[in-house]
């Protein structure tokens, strides 16, 4: 075997080398794992973020791939700002193939009659509105270019009764319904829309909140990221309108 053939055989297949991915919340515990997974697979990755320190850490951990990584400080619930981000991505790269929405927040510990309106609005904004704003911004371009993949991160709480976390549960249930409906709406186009549905997964914040828990069965962010990457691959073209459980042993 010649040197050229040997080098080709040793080079891993980069499934997303011709793809551009927008990872909303792409520097958080799960979002950072998703962004890193797409970078490893050759994609050009744009992350949205809210904390500069998280973005700086993400770029530091992306050494070797940093030329294909960029970030935008943006409020993903701001429709005008998100539209500008999407327009900027398309202007720079000529396309936007993939949207993964990992934005979300948890709130619990109160009964419904103890809750306040600002908390309700926060849950609906981060867990529901952000996904709506992002999807609305990217779909027209995906229709024009004739391809697209969208994955939203939902929650097992969308299915379960959640006493003490009703606002979180309701917002996640709304997001699941939103993306299920979107999947039906884009059926005439080669655009694939799915959700992943985690329960508790292994992050520093979750460990801090539950120090006595058994972490062994908790899915790792990288494991969930691998499922998301698969859903955006050519191998997953038969999966559309699905909500994939990624509970691990929780």
């Amino acid at each position: 075997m010649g040197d050229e053939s040997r080098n080709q055989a040793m080079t891993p297949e980069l499934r997303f080398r011709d793809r551009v991915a927008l990872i909303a919340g792409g520097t958080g515990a799960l979002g950072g794992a998703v962004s890193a997974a797409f970078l490893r697979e050759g994609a050009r990755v744009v992350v949205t973020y809210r904390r500069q320190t998280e973005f700086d850490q993400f770029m530091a951990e992306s050494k070797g791939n940093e030329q294909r990584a960029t970030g935008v400080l943006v409020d993903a619930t701001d429709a005008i700002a998100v539209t500008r981000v999407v327009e900027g991505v398309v202007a720079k790269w000529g396309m936007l193939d993939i949207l993964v929405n990992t934005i979300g927040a948890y709130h619990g510990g109160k009964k419904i009659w103890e809750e306040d309106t600002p908390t309700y609005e926060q849950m609906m904004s981060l867990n529901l509105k952000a996904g709506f704003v992002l999807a609305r911004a990217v779909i027209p371009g995906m229709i024009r270019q004739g391809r697209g993949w969208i994955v939203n991160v939902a929650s097992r709480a969308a299915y379960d009764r959640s006493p003490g976390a009703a606002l979180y549960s309701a917002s996640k249930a709304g997001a699941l319904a939103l993306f299920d409906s979107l999947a039906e709406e884009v059926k005439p186009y080669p655009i694939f829309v799915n959700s992943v549905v985690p329960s508790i997964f292994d992050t520093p914040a979750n460990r801090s909140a539950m120090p006595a828990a058994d972490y062994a069965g908790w899915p790792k962010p990288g494991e969930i990221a691998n499922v998301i990457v698969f859903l955006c691959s050519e191998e997953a073209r038969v999966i559309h309108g699905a909500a994939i459980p990624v509970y691990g042993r929780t």
Side-chain angles (χ1 to χ4, degrees), residues 54-117:
E54 284 189 356
F55 177 68
D56 293 342
Q57 181 179 353
F58 166 71
M59 291 301 292
E61 293 172 352
S62 300
K63 288 192 175 177
N65 294 318
E66 62 268 27
Q67 291 184 337
R68 291 185 285 103
T70 188
V72 184
L73 176 62
V74 67
D75 176 1
T77 68
D78 183 333
I80 294 174
V82 167
T83 297
R84 288 174 180 160
V85 168
V86 171
E87 290 173 347
V89 171
V90 174
K92 179 174 182 178
W93 300 113
M95 66 187 82
L96 176 54
D97 303 289
I98 295 163
L99 168 67
V100 180
N101 177 34
T102 72
I103 292 171
Y106 177 78
H107 168 78
K110 291 184 178 181
K111 298 179 175 64
I112 291 175
W113 61 90
E114 298 170 340
E115 294 286 8
D116 54 47
T117 302

Side-chain angles (χ1 to χ4, degrees), residues 56-201:
D56 293 342
Q57 181 179 353
F58 166 71
M59 291 301 292
E61 293 172 352
S62 300
K63 288 192 175 177
N65 294 318
E66 62 268 27
Q67 291 184 337
R68 291 185 285 103
T70 188
V72 184
L73 176 62
V74 67
D75 176 1
T77 68
D78 183 333
I80 294 174
V82 167
T83 297
R84 288 174 180 160
V85 168
V86 171
E87 290 173 347
V89 171
V90 174
K92 179 174 182 178
W93 300 113
M95 66 187 82
L96 176 54
D97 303 289
I98 295 163
L99 168 67
V100 180
N101 177 34
T102 72
I103 292 171
Y106 177 78
H107 168 78
K110 291 184 178 181
K111 298 179 175 64
I112 291 175
W113 61 90
E114 298 170 340
E115 294 286 8
D116 54 47
T117 302
T119 302
Y120 169 86
E121 292 174 345
Q122 180 191 45
M123 288 294 98
M124 296 300 165
S125 183
L126 293 174
N127 294 330
L128 178 56
K129 182 181 178 182
F132 161 70
V133 168
L134 288 158
R136 189 180 69 162
V138 304
I139 285 289
M142 290 179 173
I143 290 173
R144 286 193 297 271
Q145 71 188 16
R147 66 179 180 275
W149 291 263
I150 296 175
V151 178
N152 184 63
V153 178
S155 171
R156 190 176 188 172
Y159 301 129
D160 295 341
R161 295 177 180 176
S162 300
L167 301 185
Y168 174 75
S169 178
S171 63
K172 284 295 190 177
L176 198 58
L178 179 77
F179 283 89
D180 282 351
S181 298
L182 177 62
E184 287 297 310
E185 291 174 349
V186 300
K187 269 188 174 180
Y189 311 102
I191 299 170
F192 302 88
V193 179
N194 294 290
S195 296
V196 295
V197 186
S199 181
I200 299 169
F201 56 95

